[in-house]
């Protein structure tokens, strides 16, 4: 019995560590809810199958674990939370239909959204039309930029913030002459555009930006376009395309001729050791370090435990799957961010959504079990997550952090482009 109480006490204290983040007053009282207003339904627009399904299964797992933990503590404002999930199939057309179903038929009042940038960008106009808050987990910057609305938010990074956080250091330390090679869809295009801006701003030069079709199997024709003068190659691929790229680039000896840097998306759901050294020596941006030792605190450790992953590769305990660690945390934290905003605003029904939006704009979140990635803010004007970021390198098959970029430095390097907070609700 003492051990059980100790465990409960830890969870309560860990969540209360984010008291400023609206996670105080949690007690471990399973199924003890004030039900006068019924449950709060949160929709999960989740890419469980399709091209990005290896990520989506972890978002699904993280969201379910977060809701379970919140319900153990009495729910949100005393109301039980129900999670309604629709599989986007990693397809924008399917995702659009599924989002309408979540909001109009399942009565989801808030949405934590797709990590597939194409799905995400198709979803935001629908969520906005239906006056439903949509938390993006994809990285195309347009979601909180040119195509953003009062209803679109994110706690994590996008292609704009990744470039702002990492490329000044990369140009200074890795090289000034760059080539970009990218998957030819929304995320890859956005990565290429934003990276070029920051490489040139830091005094570097982009020789070429090479688009690769999503159905490509043979990278040789595209890798042949990489100039021999390239000092740093920036690839932007995910999943099987990423594996094919690193494997074929290594077989052509490019890793001996130039350095490589990419965002975490290119190594997500992949343990470097599993691709037999193909990514050895490559630098990667991370917004939640793969290894526990890089952010070694009890909240990170407990998050790993609740998600059932190890502390080195984020590999499923007892299994072979690897979590998309730098993205999947958002499915957990977005739900806790909604909890904070709902409780702070006094939300009761859909007509109160503007109060939740105002609570989210500029909201600060404290390092805690609710926010294991660390302290952060949702910037008021453009609804983006301002967070600590990391640059890691694959060494002996593991991602080793080489540089931490504090959130304050990110904010300084990332001037406002859009003011979504002035848009109507």
């Amino acid at each position: 019995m003492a051990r059980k109480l100790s465990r409960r006490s830890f969870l309560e204290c860990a969540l209360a560590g984010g008291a400023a983040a609206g996670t105080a007053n949690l007690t471990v009282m399973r199924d003890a809810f004030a039900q006068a207003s019924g449950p709060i339904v949160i929709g999960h627009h989740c890419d469980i199958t399709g091209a990005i399904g290896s990520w989506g299964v972890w978002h699904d797992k993280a969201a379910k674990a977060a809701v379970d933990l919140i319900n153990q503590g009495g729910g949100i404002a005393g109301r039980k939370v129900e999670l309604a999930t629709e599989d986007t199939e990693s397809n924008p057309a399917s995702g659009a239909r599924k989002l309408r179903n979540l909001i109009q038929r399942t009565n989801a009042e808030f949405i934590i959204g797709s990590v597939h940038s194409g799905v995400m960008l198709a979803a935001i106009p629908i969520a906005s039309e239906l006056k439903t808050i949509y938390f993006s987990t994809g990285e195309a910057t347009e979601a909180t930029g040119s195509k953003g609305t009062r209803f679109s938010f994110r706690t994590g990074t996008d292609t704009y913030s990744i470039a702002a956080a990492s490329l000044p250091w990369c140009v200074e330390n890795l090289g000034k002459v760059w080539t970009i090679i990218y998957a030819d869809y929304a995320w890859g295009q956005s990565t290429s555009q934003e990276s070029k801006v920051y490489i040139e701003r830091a005094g570097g030069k982009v020789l070429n930006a090479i688009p690769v079709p999503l159905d490509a199997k043979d990278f040789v024709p595209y890798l042949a376009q990489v100039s021999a003068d390239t000092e740093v190659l920036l690839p932007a691929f995910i999943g099987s395309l990423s594996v094919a790229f690193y494997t074929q680039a290594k077989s052509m000896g490019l890793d001996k001729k130039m350095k490589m840097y990419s965002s975490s998306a290119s190594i997500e759901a992949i343990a470097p050791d599993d691709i037999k050294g193909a990514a050895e020596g490559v630098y990667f941006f991370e917004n939640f370090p793969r290894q526990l030792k890089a952010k070694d605190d009890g909240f990170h450790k407990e998050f790993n435990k609740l998600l059932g992953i190890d502390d080195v590769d984020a590999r499923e305990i007892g299994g072979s799957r690897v979590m998309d660690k730098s993205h999947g945390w958002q499915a957990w934290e977005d739900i806790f961010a909604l909890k904070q905003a709902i409780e702070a605003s006094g939300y009761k029904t859909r007509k109160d959504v503007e109060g939740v939006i105002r609570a989210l704009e500029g909201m600060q979140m404290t390092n805690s079990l609710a926010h294991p990635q660390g302290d952060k803010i949702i910037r008021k004007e453009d609804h983006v997550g301002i967070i600590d970021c990391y640059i890691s390198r694959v060494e002996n098959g593991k991602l080793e952090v080489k540089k931490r970029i504090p959130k304050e430095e990110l904010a300084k390097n990332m001037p406002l482009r859009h003011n979504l907070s002035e848009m109507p609700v």
Side-chain angles (χ1 to χ4, degrees):
M1 174 63 81
R3 185 176 181 181
K4 186 174 183 181
L5 288 173
S6 176
R7 170 72 172 162
R8 289 184 170 188
S9 177
F10 173 81
L11 291 174
E12 183 176 354
C13 291
L15 286 163
T23 52
N25 302 319
L26 281 174
T27 54
V28 184
M29 304 179 301
R30 184 179 296 275
D31 297 326
F33 304 104
Q35 288 294 312
S37 300
I40 291 177
V41 181
I42 295 176
H44 193 186
H45 198 220
C46 187
D47 316 292
I48 298 175
T49 62
I52 207 163
S54 61
W55 300 23
V57 295
W58 287 102
H59 292 239
D60 184 46
K61 188 171 184 178
K64 287 175 177 174
V67 167
D68 183 58
L69 190 60
I70 287 171
N71 282 337
Q72 287 180 45
I76 295 177
R79 296 168 63 183
K80 186 175 183 179
V81 181
E82 292 184 356
L83 185 70
T85 303
E86 287 277 4
D87 178 11
T88 71
E89 304 170 40
S90 306
N91 179 284
S94 174
R97 293 193 302 272
K98 299 293 184 67
L99 181 61
R100 285 194 180 275
N101 187 63
L102 271 174
I103 298 170
Q104 295 179 316
R105 295 186 180 181
T106 313
N107 196 34
E109 298 162 81
F110 308 94
I111 304 291
I112 59 169
S114 171
V115 71
H116 186 289
S117 287
V119 174
M120 171 187 76
L121 293 177
I124 287 170
I126 297 169
S128 302
E129 171 201 335
L130 300 176
K131 297 188 179 298
T132 304
I133 290 168
Y134 188 96
F135 265 92
S136 300
T137 51
E139 286 182 349
T141 191
E142 293 86 350
T144 46
S146 61
K147 296 183 179 179
T149 74
R150 201 71 185 278
F151 294 90
S152 56
F153 290 85
R154 67 168 104 237
T155 51
T157 52
D158 59 9
T159 55
Y160 179 28
S161 56
I162 290 169
S166 64
L167 287 173
W169 184 89
C170 288
V171 171
E172 180 180 352
N173 292 277
L174 304 185
K176 294 188 180 297
V177 184
W178 291 61
T179 293
I180 301 169
I181 182 168
Y182 63 93
D184 195 11
Y185 81 112
W187 169 73
Q189 294 157 5
S190 187
T191 296
S192 178
Q193 292 161 9
E194 298 290 355
S195 298
K196 185 175 188 294
V197 169
Y198 273 89
I199 289 167
E200 292 176 347
R201 185 174 295 175
K205 179 181 179 180
V206 176
L207 296 175
N208 197 8
I210 305 164
V212 178
L214 290 177
D215 60 354
K217 299 291 189 296
D218 181 5
F219 273 82
V220 173
Y222 308 101
L223 291 170
Q225 298 176 43
V226 177
S227 170
D229 295 330
T230 301
E231 295 176 356
V232 189
L233 182 60
L234 192 164
F237 302 100
I238 62 172
S240 59
L241 269 179
S242 196
V243 173
F245 167 81
Y246 288 113
T247 301
Q248 292 182 43
K250 187 175 182 66
S251 71
M252 292 176 65
L254 263 66
D255 59 319
K256 305 297 184 186
K257 301 174 183 177
M258 59 196 66
K259 294 176 181 176
M260 294 189 197
Y261 162 79
S262 188
S263 81
S264 59
S266 288
I267 199 73
E268 289 286 48
I270 300 167
D273 260 353
D274 289 349
I275 53 176
K276 298 178 171 49
E280 188 70 17
V282 178
Y283 290 83
F284 290 97
F285 172 90
E286 294 189 278
N287 62 29
F288 197 173
R290 188 78 62 95
Q291 293 210 56
L292 172 69
K293 70 179 184 179
K295 181 185 178 292
D296 194 359
D297 62 38
F299 306 130
H300 187 176
K301 189 174 185 69
E302 184 65 18
F303 174 80
N304 285 358
K305 185 174 183 178
L306 290 170
L307 269 291
I309 58 175
D310 71 27
D311 295 335
V312 176
D313 290 319
R315 192 186 302 277
E316 188 173 31
I317 302 296
S320 60
R321 297 186 304 182
V322 175
M323 184 182 182
D324 63 324
K325 184 77 173 289
S326 273
H327 291 78
W329 63 271
Q330 294 173 74
W332 170 283
E333 287 208 21
D334 291 350
I335 292 175
F336 280 98
L338 284 168
K339 172 182 167 59
Q340 177 182 344
I342 289 167
E343 292 180 341
S345 67
Y347 174 91
K348 300 296 182 186
T349 67
R350 279 184 172 275
K351 68 179 177 60
D352 303 319
V353 69
E354 184 170 358
V356 181
I357 290 172
R358 291 187 182 278
L360 287 169
E361 291 176 335
M363 192 169 81
Q364 297 185 29
M365 290 151 277
T366 300
N367 187 40
S368 60
L369 185 54
H371 299 288
Q373 188 276 340
D375 293 345
K376 59 182 57 64
I377 186 172
I378 296 176
R379 192 157 63 175
K380 177 182 177 179
E381 293 83 0
D382 54 5
H383 297 183
V384 304
I386 304 295
I387 66 174
D388 293 342
C389 304
Y390 305 81
I391 297 172
S392 299
R393 184 172 183 259
V394 177
E395 297 178 350
N396 299 315
K398 307 300 177 190
L399 281 159
E400 302 285 351
V401 170
K402 297 299 174 182
K403 171 70 175 176
R404 173 180 169 269
I405 302 99
K407 59 186 181 301
E408 295 80 9
E409 185 177 333
L410 168 60
K412 182 180 177 181
N413 290 344
M414 188 182 172
L416 286 171
R417 293 174 172 173
H418 302 275
N419 192 341
L420 306 183
S421 69
E422 292 183 346
M423 297 178 73
V425 174

